């Protein structure tokens, strides 16, 4: 049976499954005049609107401190007249008077546009504001009880705390106004098609599950390389660093999806329960092991695309003796029956020579190798998930070179998304729609966040109490393989050069 969307049936599929109605609602975007709202949220909403995936009746209420007109805010993007009609900007702060003004605006908009008071609160404000705002919304009558006739949801951006204690404190504050099931913690990597496909690849193909374990897998590498430096975010990044900014959330989520057990069903709770079990099985990071389980780096001056760029310590807003990590490399262990003994190498860095997020699963060699590869050492079998910017799954195999003898050659079976699909949709679009639909599957539960912080806390504390001093910078901007990363490798292992797969699609 085919299914198409029309004006009467505004619905969308929930995670891997049935279709759900998007109920009429009011989207209240705090930080409405800010960068995230303008760059990501409004364009995503406008795109969903064009695709007729928004509810039949909805309004976007952007809330900000700046005094500006709705038209002025929208003049920064390309939006249809129809979309603009659904959009209002108001200036309000988060004081009791400001929240009262907001409540009045919400009541008025809902009454005029015949929208029931279903509220999707999106906190696109600096994280210091989350706790106060969540409480203020509850006090101001903008949060319904979780089981009432109307709903309220709270979407929260990262950073979600900066260590375990602050994450717990934030959770407690949010939970004083909202129930856990009303809180949608965004990790935009979960909105990426290629990340979601990790689950489908693993659990919808019978050929991989039997070999997805320590009997057959040698090691796993997860890599997130960016060419961008700190840009104009030194204020945030210098207090954060790559471990907090990329590993605690995005790369740990990827790790969970690659290593979790099959969930009992596709419900949000079943999937998140399995991710939590992976986090629980992580061997605690000890700063004292040899080789070390974690190393950090920071970029010095270098070149990106032929252009000279300053070192991190020379960037505007960064302390000249900053010990903030702009690169990290880790060797992790998931100590459970499936994964015991399989090292998981994770690295992430800013100002690398290329952009790419990849996962590589390398298989063990056969116990008895028939073919003497001699000098032509062949690569092991490997599956490479190219998450972005190219989207692909590659299966690396060994084949026979045509000719009389059994000469071996490395070959690859490539599945490039672009050959089959249009996957240009931004992660935000998918996640915004899921929040409107009330599907929390692709959002992070509080225990996931807390366990991830718990795992990294000791390392963060160790680094904080041991300033890097002259050890930084330890890689030039534009490098692809900071040498310091080699320190975490076990004998015989090496980091993969993912740039060799840059042009497969
Ligand atoms: C954000 C980080 O969460 O993710 C940024 O704060 C980083 O520092 C960004 O650049 C990377 O996202 P993407 O989708 O470009 O890989």
């Amino acid at each position: 049976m085919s299914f198409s969307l029309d004006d009467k049936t505004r619905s969308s599929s929930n995670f891997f499954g049935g279709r759900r109605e998007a109920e009429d609602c009011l989207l209240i975007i705090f930080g409405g005049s800010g960068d995230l709202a303008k760059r990501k949220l409004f364009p995503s909403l406008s795109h969903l609107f064009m695709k007729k995936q928004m509810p039949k009746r909805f309004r976007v209420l952007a809330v900000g401190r700046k005094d500006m007109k709705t038209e002025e805010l929208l003049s920064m993007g390309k939006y249809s007249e129809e979309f603009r009609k659904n959009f209002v900007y108001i200036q309000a702060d988060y004081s009791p008077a400001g929240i009262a003004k907001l409540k009045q605006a919400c009541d008025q908009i809902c009454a005029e546009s015949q929208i029931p008071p279903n509220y999707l609160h999106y906190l696109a404000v600096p994280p210091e504001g989350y706790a106060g705002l969540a409480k203020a919304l509850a006090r101001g009558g903008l949060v319904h009880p979780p089981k009432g006739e109307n709903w309220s949801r709270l979407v929260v951006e990262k950073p979600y705390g900066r260590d375990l204690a602050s994450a717990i404190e934030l959770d407690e504050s949010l939970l004083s106004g909202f129930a856990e099931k009303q809180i949608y913690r965004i990790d935009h990597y979960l909105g990426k098609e290629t990340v979601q496909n990790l689950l489908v690849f693993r659990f919808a193909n019978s050929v991989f599950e039997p070999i997805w374990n320590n009997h057959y897998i040698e090691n796993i590498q997860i890599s997130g390389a960016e060419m961008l430096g700190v840009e104009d975010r030194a204020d945030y990044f210098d207090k954060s660093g790559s471990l907090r900014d990329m590993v605690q959330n995005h790369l740990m989520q990827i790790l969970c999806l690659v290593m979790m057990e099959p969930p009992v069903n596709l419900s949000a709770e079943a999937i998140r329960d399995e991710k939590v079990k992976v986090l629980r099985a992580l061997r605690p990071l000890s700063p004292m092991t040899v080789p070390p389980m974690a190393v950090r780096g920071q970029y010095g001056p270098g070149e990106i695309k032929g252009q000279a760029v300053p070192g991190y310590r020379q960037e505007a807003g960064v302390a000249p003796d900053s010990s903030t990590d702009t690169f990290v490399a880790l060797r992790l262990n998931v100590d459970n029956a499936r994964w015991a003994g399989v090292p998981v190498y994770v690295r992430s860095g800013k100002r690398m020579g290329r952009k790419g997020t990849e996962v590589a699963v390398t298989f063990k060699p056969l116990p008895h190798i028939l073919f003497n590869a001699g000098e032509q050492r062949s690569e092991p079998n490997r599956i490479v998930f190219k998450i972005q910017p190219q989207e692909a799954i590659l299966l690396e195999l060994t084949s026979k070179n045509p000719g009389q003898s059994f000469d071996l050659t490395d070959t690859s079976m490539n599945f490039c998304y672009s050959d089959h699909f249009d996957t240009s949709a931004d992660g935000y679009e998918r996640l915004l729609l899921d929040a409107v639909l009330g599907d929390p599957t692709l959002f992070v539960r509080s225990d996931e966040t807390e366990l991830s912080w718990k795992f990294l806390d000791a390392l963060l504390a160790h680094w904080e109490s041991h300033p890097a001093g002259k050890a930084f910078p330890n890689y030039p901007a534009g490098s692809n393989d900071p040498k310091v990363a080699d320190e975490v490798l076990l004998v015989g292992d090496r980091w993969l050069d993912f740039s060799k797969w840059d042009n497969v699609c």
Side-chain angles (χ1 to χ4, degrees):
M1 186 181 82
S2 69
F3 187 99
S4 62
L5 295 172
D6 59 36
D7 274 339
K8 278 177 258 130
T9 329
R10 283 166 190 270
S11 62
S12 186
S13 58
N14 66 345
F15 199 72
F16 305 129
R19 305 225 164 227
R20 298 176 64 167
E21 284 291 315
E23 290 179 85
D24 296 345
C25 66
L26 179 61
L27 291 96
I28 307 163
I29 302 193
F30 297 92
S33 55
D35 196 47
L36 178 74
K38 284 185 281 194
R39 264 186 328 110
K40 298 283 187 190
L41 308 183
F42 303 158
S44 298
L45 289 170
S46 148
H47 207 220
L48 288 169
F49 178 70
M50 269 162 30
K51 295 199 294 188
K52 294 192 178 352
Q53 288 182 313
M54 290 299 283
K56 190 165 171 57
R57 289 200 195 91
F58 74 95
R59 289 288 183 275
V60 179
L61 175 57
V63 189
R65 285 163 196 257
K66 281 195 197 139
D67 183 13
M68 67 197 306
K69 299 259 174 298
T70 304
E71 302 73 50
E72 196 184 336
L73 184 62
L74 289 178
S75 66
M76 294 164 206
K78 286 192 189 138
Y79 305 113
S80 69
E81 269 318 304
E82 278 307 299
F83 179 71
R84 284 164 193 263
K85 283 185 199 154
N86 294 295
F87 201 102
V88 188
Y89 175 80
I90 65 161
Q91 182 196 19
D93 60 24
Y94 312 135
S95 64
I99 297 291
K101 177 179 172 187
L102 175 65
K103 171 81 169 76
Q104 212 180 11
C106 292
D107 290 346
Q108 197 182 335
I109 293 172
C110 287
E112 283 171 7
S113 50
Q114 297 178 325
I115 293 176
N118 292 326
Y119 302 134
L120 185 82
H121 300 293
Y122 197 120
L123 304 192
V125 298
E128 307 79 72
Y130 294 169
L133 194 43
K135 286 181 187 164
L137 290 174
R139 276 198 304 266
L142 286 160
V143 184
H144 304 299
K147 283 197 177 146
E149 190 184 331
N150 296 110
W151 54 258
S152 338
R153 298 179 190 133
L154 182 75
V155 184
V156 197
E157 276 287 332
K158 68 173 271 269
Y160 201 83
R162 64 183 322 276
D163 52 22
L164 178 61
S166 54
I168 292 176
E169 200 182 310
L170 179 55
D171 270 333
E172 282 171 357
S173 302
L174 300 191
L175 288 166
S176 71
F178 291 79
E180 172 65 27
K181 65 181 205 180
Q182 294 175 304
I183 303 173
Y184 288 63
R185 296 173 194 81
I186 278 220
D187 183 314
H188 78 278
Y189 269 52
L190 292 178
K192 295 181 194 281
E193 281 295 336
T194 43
V195 172
Q196 293 162 31
N197 200 27
L198 289 168
L199 286 187
V200 178
F201 178 90
R202 287 193 54 204
F203 301 131
N205 292 299
S206 58
V207 288
F208 301 114
E209 175 59 15
I211 54 169
W212 213 251
N213 55 51
N214 48 10
H215 297 289
Y216 297 97
I217 290 176
E218 180 93 9
N219 70 57
I220 295 177
Q221 298 198 12
I222 302 175
S223 175
E226 292 185 90
M227 294 173 94
L228 290 180
V230 64
E231 309 301 299
D232 53 2
R233 303 162 71 217
D235 193 35
Y236 151 74
F237 191 86
D238 205 39
K239 292 189 217 88
S240 169
S242 288
L243 192 67
R244 289 189 172 97
D245 185 51
M246 288 291 294
V247 178
Q248 185 273 336
N249 35 67
H250 308 322
L251 300 191
M252 292 298 262
Q253 284 293 328
I254 291 179
L255 176 137
C256 287
L257 298 177
V258 172
M259 306 191 75
M260 65 191 253
E261 294 299 314
V264 287
N265 56 42
L266 290 176
S267 70
E269 294 323 317
I271 291 176
R272 299 192 292 184
D273 285 350
E274 295 308 331
K275 287 198 281 169
V276 159
K277 286 185 204 161
V278 176
L279 294 168
R280 282 193 207 287
L282 282 167
R283 185 180 303 172
L285 280 174
S286 158
M288 307 314 285
T289 57
V290 181
M293 293 173 88
V295 293
R296 58 185 162 165
Q298 190 189 77
Y299 63 85
E303 267 191 16
I304 296 278
K305 292 187 186 160
Q307 297 285 316
V309 296
Y312 180 73
R313 286 177 176 175
Q314 288 81 50
E315 302 269 19
V318 171
D321 60 348
S322 170
S323 283
T324 298
D325 47 297
T326 61
F327 175 85
V328 287
L330 312 165
R331 187 185 71 256
L332 309 182
N333 296 85
V334 173
D335 285 335
N336 61 19
R338 188 190 284 260
W339 295 115
V342 178
V344 186
Y345 295 109
V346 175
R347 71 189 158 157
S348 177
K350 294 219 176 272
R351 282 286 191 235
M352 303 274 107
R354 59 184 282 281
K355 176 170 173 74
T357 309
E358 289 94 5
V359 179
V361 176
T362 299
F363 290 88
K364 292 184 174 172
L366 286 168
H368 176 64
I369 308 204
L370 278 176
F371 307 99
N372 181 2
E375 289 303 299
Q376 330 144 35
R377 210 187 129 264
S378 68
E379 286 286 314
N381 292 150
R382 183 174 287 133
I383 295 175
V384 180
F385 298 91
K386 289 171 65 66
I387 305 286
Q388 62 174 14
Q390 300 96 13
E391 302 173 313
I393 302 175
L394 320 177
L395 175 58
E396 300 268 301
L397 302 166
T398 301
S399 300
K400 180 182 175 300
N401 241 342
Q404 254 192 326
S405 57
F406 276 104
D407 286 345
L408 307 187
T409 187
D410 296 324
T411 52
S412 179
M413 286 167 59
N414 304 339
F415 157 58
C416 297
Y417 282 64
S418 54
D419 292 345
H420 302 267
F421 314 115
D422 171 15
T423 57
S424 57
D426 185 275
Y428 273 98
E429 205 177 300
R430 166 71 197 243
L431 295 175
L432 268 165
L433 181 60
D434 280 359
V436 168
L437 289 165
D439 183 352
T441 312
L442 297 176
F443 295 83
V444 183
R445 212 166 57 186
S446 65
D447 48 354
E448 291 179 73
T449 325
E450 289 179 15
L451 282 164
S452 176
W453 279 123
K454 187 174 173 197
F455 171 65
L456 296 175
D457 251 12
L459 179 63
L460 287 165
H462 179 76
W463 282 352
E464 251 155 50
S465 60
H466 292 76
K470 291 205 170 116
F472 280 180
N474 55 1
Y475 70 98
S479 102
N480 273 336
D481 55 348
K483 288 287 157 274
V484 66
D486 292 351
E487 292 176 25
V488 302
L489 295 172
L490 296 178
V491 175
D493 288 347
R494 67 188 160 93
W495 289 105
L496 293 171
D497 174 10
F498 286 100
S499 68
K500 79 176 198 189
W501 294 291
D502 274 352
N503 298 316
V504 291
C505 292

